[in-house]
């Protein structure tokens, strides 16, 4: 891994422990511990400096019996040499009442002038959580010392907050909530997934030399979508671009009952940079889309299949009969041009069958499904797969997508996107800014635009005699979700929080992605 990869790629705690094995076998364990402890002390000092002088401040550590506790003890020793009052609080004792902790770490702290206490002192400005590390699984109960922390003390977790599963982010029982976490060797997937992400605070990744030993297969790594990755997945149009080379998106959405979905999905595609959007729907939705977006094309059936690079199907479809008819039309169009991409959302997720998925896979059609948690549960019941009922959401997604050949984007505060080959991404934005009706419709259109642009690029490559390879659907969908999440945050900061204004914020965010030197800094003027 490169230095940038340390913050962009997460691996399980189990993978990190495996990566450490050859270094430990070579006798480098003490070196690794001191490197981790030094970084922990540096970040602790930085937090103290934000509040005042480092020298004279009190730092306590909750110290467990394992290597995590050793890291904390050595960090306290380093801090003590900077004039910090360093206090170690053991959370485990043997039958004789003696602390169970790292002997060399305690000796180093004693030599530096630190002390031991049964409780965190009330004057402590910072508490280091060094109780449990990456090997923890199961249910955790906070020790008594962790229940009586000073109200204004910052909590700095060592590698992972105690009680958090470093592989999955699951918290069973209790867990400390950290203001910041210093994690070693690689970003742990449990710090960006599930409850673990909420407990970790600001995460700092420290390189301790594990890079050559960490896994390289996308099937066991988790990408963290950011601006650089989004720009790579959805690059600015070339200087010679025209509307067809930027991608044509067909939007099969909305109905007499839910007409707004057509407007919002079309807006999402347009504001994410589609060269052309063609809405297919009843007269009511066609009129609304054309009024809102005069640049769009509208018709009852949509574009000629040869013209569409991506089909967005499902948002706001109404009666079962009408929805099935329109869904069948999308599938028929994809039979004529199977290299076009499909985004299926909402009603389409209730119509999609295992047989249809097999046909789409055999034809080579890139497929992205975008369920929320309830739709994902119903989809797995209706279209099951071995392993898709795993408690670990990422493992369940990998099992389902591998069997059915479609990429799944599972919407939520931390959106997970997984492709059939196991490549996975997480989008860590997308909180309450987007918890409104219709934002998913905007997302569907946005993903459609990113998929369409990629299909158009690949079509040009094939015409030039090049082999563009398989479409990176997980990366593309994650990039669109990241733009969508950033747009929600942008418009909230600008004082607007409605779904109707979200596409404008999305367009501003895309412009800043493509042309950062020219775009206006405010998402919503």
């Amino acid at each position: 891994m490169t230095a940038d990869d340390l913050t962009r790629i997460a691996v399980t705690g189990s993978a990190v422990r495996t990566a450490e094995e050859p270094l430990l076998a070579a006798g480098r364990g003490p070196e690794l511990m001191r490197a981790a402890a030094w970084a922990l002390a540096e970040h602790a000092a930085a937090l103290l400096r934000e509040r005042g002088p480092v020298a004279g401040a009190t730092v306590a550590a909750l110290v467990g019996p394992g290597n995590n506790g050793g890291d904390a003890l050595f960090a306290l020793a380093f801090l003590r040499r900077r004039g910090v009052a360093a206090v170690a609080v053991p959370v485990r004792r043997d039958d004789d009442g003696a602390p169970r902790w790292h002997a060399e770490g305690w000796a180093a702290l004693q030599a530096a002038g630190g002390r031991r206490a049964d409780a965190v002192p009330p004057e402590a400005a910072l508490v280091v959580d060094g109780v449990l590390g990456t090997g923890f699984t199961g249910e955790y109960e906070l020790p008594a010392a962790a229940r009586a922390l000073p109200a204004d003390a910052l909590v700095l977790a060592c590698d992972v907050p105690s009680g958090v599963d470093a592989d999955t982010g699951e918290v069973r029982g209790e867990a400390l909530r950290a203001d910041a976490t210093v994690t070693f060797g690689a970003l742990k997937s449990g710090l960006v997934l599930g409850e673990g992400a909420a407990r970790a605070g600001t995460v700092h990744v420290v390189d301790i030399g594990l890079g050559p030993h960490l896994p390289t297969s996308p099937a066991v790594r988790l990408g963290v979508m950011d601006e650089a990755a989004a720009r790579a997945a959805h690059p600015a149009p070339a200087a010679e671009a025209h509307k067809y080379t930027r991608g044509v998106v067909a939007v099969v959405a909305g109905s007499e009952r839910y007409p707004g979905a057509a407007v919002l999905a079309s807006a999402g595609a347009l504001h994410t940079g589609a060269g052309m959007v063609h809405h297919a729907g009843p007269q009511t939705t066609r009129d609304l889309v054309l009024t809102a977006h005069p640049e769009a094309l509208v018709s009852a059936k949509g574009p000629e299949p040869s013209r569409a690079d991506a089909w967005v199907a499902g948002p706001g479809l109404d009666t079962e009969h009408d929805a099935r008819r329109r869904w069948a039309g999308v599938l028929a169009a994809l039979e004529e041009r199977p290299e076009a991409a499909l985004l299926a959302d909402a009603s389409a997720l209730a119509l999609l069958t295992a047989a249809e998925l097999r046909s789409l896979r055999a034809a080579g059609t890139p497929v992205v499904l975008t369920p929320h948690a309830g739709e994902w549960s119903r989809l797995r019941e209706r279209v099951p797969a071995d392993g898709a009922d795993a408690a670990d959401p990422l493992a369940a997604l990998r099992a389902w997508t591998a069997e059915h050949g479609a990429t799944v984007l599972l919407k939520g505060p931390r959106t997970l996107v997984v492709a059939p080959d196991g490549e996975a991404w997480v989008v860590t934005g997308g909180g309450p800014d987007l918890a409104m009706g219709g934002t998913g419709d905007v997302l569907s259109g946005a993903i459609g635009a990113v998929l369409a642009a990629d299909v158009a690029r690949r079509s040009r490559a094939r015409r030039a005699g090049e082999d563009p390879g398989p479409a990176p659907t997980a990366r593309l969908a994650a990039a669109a979700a990241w733009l969508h999440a950033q747009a929600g945050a942008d418009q909230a900061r600008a004082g607007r929080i409605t779904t109707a204004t979200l596409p404008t914020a999305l367009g501003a965010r895309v412009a800043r992605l493509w042309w950062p030197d020219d775009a206006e800094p405010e998402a919503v003027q």
Side-chain angles (χ1 to χ4, degrees), residues 2-18:
T2 66
D4 287 340
D5 286 342
L6 285 176
T7 58
R8 293 177 181 169
I9 298 173
V11 298
T12 63
S14 303
V16 171
R17 293 195 303 278
T18 299

Side-chain angles (χ1 to χ4, degrees), residues 110-473:
Q110 282 184 301
R115 66 185 179 91
R116 187 180 82 193
D118 293 330
V120 174
E123 68 273 18
L126 186 145
V127 177
V128 175
D129 171 14
V131 180
L132 298 172
T134 59
F136 168 77
T137 59
E139 189 168 331
Y140 177 60
E141 182 178 346
L142 289 175
R147 298 180 184 277
L149 304 184
D152 59 347
L154 297 173
V155 175
L156 178 62
C158 177
D159 216 7
V160 63
S162 294
V164 171
D165 187 311
D167 288 1
T168 67
E170 183 183 21
V171 172
R172 288 195 284 164
E174 298 178 304
L176 276 176
R177 186 179 298 275
D179 296 284
T181 297
V182 180
T183 196
F184 313 118
L187 179 63
K188 313 302 187 297
S189 51
L191 298 176
V192 294
L193 296 176
E195 183 64 19
R199 301 282 178 153
T202 304
V203 178
H204 307 276
V205 186
V206 176
D207 185 1
I208 57 172
L210 302 184
H213 307 284
L214 291 168
T216 58
S217 170
V220 294
R221 306 202 306 183
L222 176 64
V224 180
M225 183 54 61
D226 62 7
E227 184 171 358
R231 185 177 290 113
H234 192 42
E240 67 275 14
H242 54 76
K243 60 188 176 184
Y244 294 115
T245 62
R246 285 179 61 165
V248 177
V249 182
V251 177
V252 182
S255 59
E256 297 287 346
R257 185 178 182 187
Y258 304 112
V263 177
L264 292 170
S266 298
L270 287 165
H271 285 278
T272 308
M276 182 180 291
V277 170
H278 191 139
H279 166 60
Q283 190 65 52
T284 299
T285 61
R286 298 202 302 266
D287 291 344
L288 287 172
V289 169
L290 203 56
T291 298
H293 308 294
E295 69 271 39
L297 298 179
V298 298
S299 66
K301 295 184 178 181
E304 289 296 318
S306 61
R307 284 292 196 187
D309 295 303
W311 290 80
V312 174
L317 301 187
D318 191 5
T319 66
E320 182 177 348
H321 172 73
D322 183 59
R324 288 188 180 280
R325 176 185 60 79
R326 295 169 72 185
W327 173 244
V330 172
L331 295 178
L334 288 166
E335 287 182 5
E336 292 193 39
R337 192 187 180 206
E339 65 267 28
L342 170 64
L343 181 289
D345 183 39
S347 300
L349 299 174
L351 299 171
L352 184 66
T353 67
E356 290 165 348
L357 284 169
R358 285 193 295 272
S359 296
L360 290 164
R361 185 180 203 172
T365 299
V367 177
V368 177
L369 313 180
T370 57
H372 55 59
E375 291 167 334
W376 173 231
S377 178
R378 292 191 290 274
L379 180 62
R380 285 181 293 169
E381 289 179 2
R382 203 169 52 78
V383 185
D386 290 340
D389 57 351
D392 175 7
L394 184 54
L397 283 163
R398 281 183 162 136
W400 196 94
T401 57
E403 182 162 331
H404 293 294
T407 292
V408 174
L409 181 147
L410 180 58
K411 293 182 282 195
R414 283 163 290 278
T415 293
L416 272 174
V417 193
V418 180
D421 65 358
E423 179 182 355
W425 292 81
V426 62
V427 180
T428 56
D433 309 322
L434 297 173
M436 299 175 290
T439 59
D441 302 335
V442 177
L443 175 61
S444 292
I447 297 173
V450 176
L451 292 173
D454 184 74
V455 169
R457 285 192 297 271
R458 289 170 184 281
S459 295
R460 293 196 300 277
R462 280 189 286 268
R463 288 195 296 271
E466 302 170 6
D467 180 9
T473 50

